[in-house]
Amino acid sequence: MTRLTVFLILAILAASGLALTFGEAPLSAAQYRLAFADPASLEGQVLWQVRAPRIACALMVGAALGLSGAVLQGLLRNPLADPGVLGVSAAAALGAAFAIVMGGAALPGVVEVSALAGAGIAGAALVIFAARVRAPEALILFGVALSSFAGAATALIFNLSPSPIASAEVMSWLLGSVQNRSWFDVAWVTPMVLISGVLAAFAASGLRMLALGEETAATSGLSMGRLRTAALIAAALAAGAATAVAGVIGFVGLAAPHLVRRAVRGDPGRVLLPAALTGGLILVAADLAARLTPTDQELKLGVFTALVGAPLFALIAWRAAREWRL
């Protein structure tokens, strides 16, 4: 696991270096030297106030989504679980859309707080439901219903929006992006990811015991109530913070744990940190690819990850179906 962690960190540094080097505005070697020597110069502004916070934001958002997906897959013992399936991302999108239509985008932090509130409400509903119904399948079905309701409510807000400008802002935000993000956004999302990481670390041993079966875990003294609460809060907080900052970005939470699960021999407790690092790496690389794709308008990050992630989702579902038949 140590080798895997070191490899992922080095890969993140390499991807971040490439993302800092390449962009829409090409810079010469002399301009790069000037940017490092004088951060207040125009070249320094491009590097340290445009590209660097965008990279950091993509890294933290990807880490949040990867961590959230790993926690949910371990808790539900389902390889197809991710924040989007349980409705947390959709609820955060609903909160943000409501804030944008009500004019909250003009005030710093209002959209983010509203999105996080939506995710918090969804997370609380999941915790309450999980306390009453023990079956993981029932929790997934409840999450799907929650996601459908939040999606319909978001569409209703979009449909009834009195301002075409607000509607365009909602649509742009729902497509997901880290474009034009600042150090304020990085400072806002980072503490949320760290708190989620602490809660996930607290739940790691319980997730490892749960992999042996709920009855076996219960006889070992595991408190399922505490485990569900800690895991769901960690997942909801991470996914809510990511959606609040970058909009709706799908499939990262699903893919990241699967890419590293074999390296940790399927241990749901040990996969958490590598999944978070992998999620960050995926999003930094995807954002760089979206920026460099030769199109008239820059591809939205959520669109790019969906184009790549949807086939992966189908492959995972196909493999899972084969295992169920066996």
Side-chain angles (χ1 to χ4, degrees):
M1 181 177 176
T2 303
R3 291 182 179 178
L4 176 61
T5 302
V6 172
F7 170 78
L8 289 172
I9 291 174
L10 292 177
I12 288 172
L13 292 176
S16 299
L18 289 174
L20 192 65
T21 303
F22 297 100
E24 293 183 4
L27 300 177
S28 65
Q31 289 175 315
Y32 279 112
R33 288 194 295 269
L34 178 60
F36 279 92
D38 184 12
S41 63
L42 178 60
E43 292 80 0
Q45 292 289 322
V46 171
L47 235 62
W48 305 118
Q49 300 302 323
V50 177
R51 293 184 187 175
R54 179 171 181 164
I55 295 167
C57 195
L59 176 62
M60 297 310 300
V61 169
L65 294 173
L67 177 64
S68 181
V71 169
L72 290 176
Q73 289 176 17
L75 177 66
L76 301 176
R77 289 168 287 166
N78 189 318
L80 301 180
D82 82 328
V85 172
L86 289 188
V88 176
S89 298
L94 173 59
F98 179 78
I100 291 173
V101 170
M102 297 300 294
L107 301 174
V110 172
V111 174
E112 288 84 353
V113 171
S114 182
L116 193 61
I121 292 172
L126 290 169
V127 170
I128 293 171
F129 185 85
R132 296 177 178 271
V133 181
R134 297 177 60 182
E137 296 83 1
L139 185 60
I140 293 176
L141 292 175
F142 179 77
V144 170
L146 189 64
S147 179
S148 298
F149 175 80
T154 302
L156 180 63
I157 289 176
F158 181 78
N159 190 40
L160 298 179
S161 173
S163 169
I165 296 177
S167 298
E169 289 181 357
V170 171
M171 178 58 69
S172 177
W173 191 88
L174 290 176
L175 294 177
S177 176
V178 291
Q179 187 178 12
N180 299 324
R181 298 307 186 265
S182 66
W183 289 114
F184 171 82
D185 299 296
V186 178
W188 195 93
V189 71
T190 300
M192 306 297 176
V193 177
L194 294 178
I195 294 172
S196 300
V198 172
L199 290 172
F202 174 78
S205 60
L207 295 176
R208 189 176 297 114
M209 295 171 63
L210 188 61
L212 303 175
E214 191 167 331
E215 293 183 359
T216 303
T219 57
S220 302
L222 176 65
S223 173
M224 287 301 302
R226 291 182 181 178
L227 174 62
R228 288 194 188 99
T229 300
L232 288 173
I233 291 175
L237 183 61
T243 307
V245 169
V248 180
I249 298 177
F251 297 104
V252 175
L254 173 70
H258 284 280
L259 293 175
V260 294
R261 183 165 284 120
R262 287 189 178 182
V264 297
R265 299 179 181 179
D267 189 328
R270 295 176 60 197
V271 79
L272 298 178
L273 177 59
L277 294 174
T278 302
L281 175 61
I282 289 173
L283 218 58
V284 170
D287 183 55
L288 175 61
R291 277 193 287 148
L292 297 182
T293 301
T295 54
D296 292 336
Q297 292 185 354
E298 181 179 316
L299 287 177
K300 292 293 185 181
L301 187 55
V303 176
F304 192 86
T305 57
L307 289 173
V308 177
L312 178 63
F313 185 89
L315 177 62
I316 294 171
W318 178 69
R319 288 182 175 177
R322 290 184 61 189
E323 293 177 1
W324 293 335
R325 285 198 300 267
L326 296 175

